[in-house]
Each structure stands twice: as C-alpha cells, then as structure tokens.
Amino acid sequence: MVTLTVRQATLEDTDSILRIYNQGIEDRIATLETETKDSSYMEAWFHDHQGRFSVLVAENEGEVIGWASLNPYSHRCAYKGVADLSVYIDRDFRGQGVGSSLLEALEIAAKEHEFYKIVLFTFPFNQGGQGLYQKMGYRQVGLFEKQGVMDGEFIDVMIMEKLL
Ligand SMILES: CC(C)(COP(=O)(O)OP(=O)(O)OC[C@H]1O[C@@H](n2cnc3c(N)ncnc32)[C@H](O)[C@@H]1OP(=O)(O)O)[C@@H](O)C(=O)NCCC(=O)NCCS
C-alpha cells in the first residue's frame, strides 16, 4: 500500500528521476532510447524543464517512486498550447495508482501554464501505458508504422491526445 505525495521536483530529485528513467530504458517498453543516461544528462534535462514545463515527483515514505513531466511539443508559436508528456514509475511500484495520481496532477499544472492539450507517443505493446492513458481519457489519434528502430527492429508508435 503506497502513501502518495505528489509535488514539484527539485534539482535534488534528479538522481531518483534518473534511476527510474533508466529502468524504463532497460525494460524496452517505454522509449526508443537504448543507452542508459547519466547524472549530467538528467541535470541538463531538468534545467530545460523550467517555467511552463513542469516536472512532478511522487513520493512514498520520503522516497521518490515515480515522476512525470510536461515537455515541449514544438517550438512553433502556433503550438504553444500543446505539451508532450513523459511518465515513469519505479518497477516495484507500477500498477498501484502512482501513474494515475501523477497524470492528474500534471493536467492541473498544464492548465495553470495555459496548455490546452497534451499529446503523447507510446508503444502499442506497452500494456501499462495503454491502461493508464485509456483510464485518464486519452484518445488514440493514430499509429505511425515502423516509426523507429530499437535493437535492430522496427517499432510502431501510437499517438494519443487529451484536450484539457
Ligand atoms: C506505464 C506506467 C507509467 C503506468 O503507471 P502505473 O502507476 O503503473 O499505472 P496505474 O497503476 O495508475 O494504472 C492505471 C490504469 O492502467 C491499468 N494498468 C496498469 N498497469 C497495467 C498493465 N501492466 N496491464 C494492463 N493494465 C494496466 C490499471 O489497471 C489502471 O486502471 P484501473 O485503475 O482502472 O485499474 C508504468 O507502468 C511505468 O512506469 N511503466 C514503465 C515506463 C513507461 O512505460 N512509461 C510510459 C511511456 S509511454
């Protein structure tokens, strides 16, 4: 049973964010990235996520067990109200409502920062992601066939969106 606190991330959280992100990379279900990242990568990423591009963490008993972020979708002015999202939960805490709590809080943060839509790119075989996004009301827009290559295999990528 997890007791969750969701809050804005600080620079001190980047080690935990990195650890959880690297689990997602290793699991090959969440991202086309195949090389795990290091602290300097994550700190640079965090510095790029200031202002409107919130990073939230979920804590259980003082330990960060998941994170979610709003990412730039496009630098074109016409798309300034559209954000992309990332969400990663510690392997030991998946399927316990942490992702749902983070996305609820992220939607509030998105509206506060004048985003009217969140889009995301996910793999059709990511069952946890599919369950989470459907539950949270994301609509399937379409499927990019053979959009990326991972470990030498073509990967289809599903586009989803939610109007806030
Ligand atoms: C995908 C992920 C973020 C989901 O977060 P989570 O905390 O596990 O999700 P929740 O527990 O909030 O579950 C949300 C819904 O999805 C469903 N779900 C969760 N895991 C599932 C699974 N493995 N298979 C099918 N449905 C699943 C749940 O049943 C739940 O619906 P319910 O509340 O009606 O029962 C998490 O599993 C994760 O970090 N996976 C690895 C990284 C990743 O894939 N990130 C997303 C990249 S697109």
Side-chain angles (χ1 to χ4, degrees):
M1 170 86 176
V2 289
T3 312
L4 273 190
T5 307
V6 174
R7 62 168 173 80
Q8 200 78 31
T10 68
L11 187 59
E12 286 67 44
D13 294 313
T14 50
D15 283 348
S16 304
I17 291 170
L18 174 68
R19 179 180 62 76
I20 296 166
Y21 183 42
N22 280 338
Q23 290 181 356
I25 293 173
E26 287 164 359
D27 292 344
R28 298 291 197 264
I29 52 168
T31 170
L32 289 168
E33 297 288 334
T34 52
E35 302 286 327
T36 54
K37 306 302 179 195
D38 61 16
S39 304
S40 57
Y41 170 93
M42 215 72 241
E43 282 169 22
W45 175 90
F46 186 76
H47 284 299
D48 285 343
H49 280 77
Q50 301 301 314
R52 300 176 75 208
F53 298 104
S54 299
V55 182
L56 302 180
V57 290
E59 270 185 341
N60 175 51
E61 297 177 353
E63 182 198 0
V64 172
I65 58 168
W67 61 270
S69 63
L70 293 171
N71 313 311
Y73 167 69
S74 167
H75 293 294
R76 298 181 71 178
C77 193
Y79 298 131
K80 69 178 185 220
V82 182
D84 168 89
L85 81 72
S86 299
V87 55
Y88 287 82
I89 311 303
D90 186 308
R91 278 185 197 124
D92 293 338
F93 292 93
R94 293 176 191 164
Q96 298 180 60
V98 183
S100 304
S101 298
L102 277 166
L103 289 202
E104 269 172 32
L106 201 68
E107 285 178 20
I108 293 167
K111 284 193 242 183
E112 283 171 0
H113 290 108
E114 298 183 351
F115 291 107
Y116 68 88
K117 183 200 269 203
I118 297 177
V119 298
L120 63 87
F121 300 88
T122 187
F123 302 146
F125 54 82
N126 182 348
Q127 293 183 340
Q130 294 291 318
L132 174 65
Y133 302 137
Q134 279 169 27
K135 175 184 171 184
M136 300 304 295
Y138 283 78
R139 180 180 80 86
Q140 183 179 332
V141 177
L143 193 70
F144 286 124
E145 291 182 26
K146 298 186 175 178
Q147 176 73 354
V149 176
M150 184 162 58
D151 300 328
E153 299 285 330
F154 281 122
I155 301 285
D156 295 346
V157 174
M158 183 185 291
I159 318 159
M160 301 186 86
E161 69 174 7
K162 182 172 181 179
L163 288 165
L164 302 177

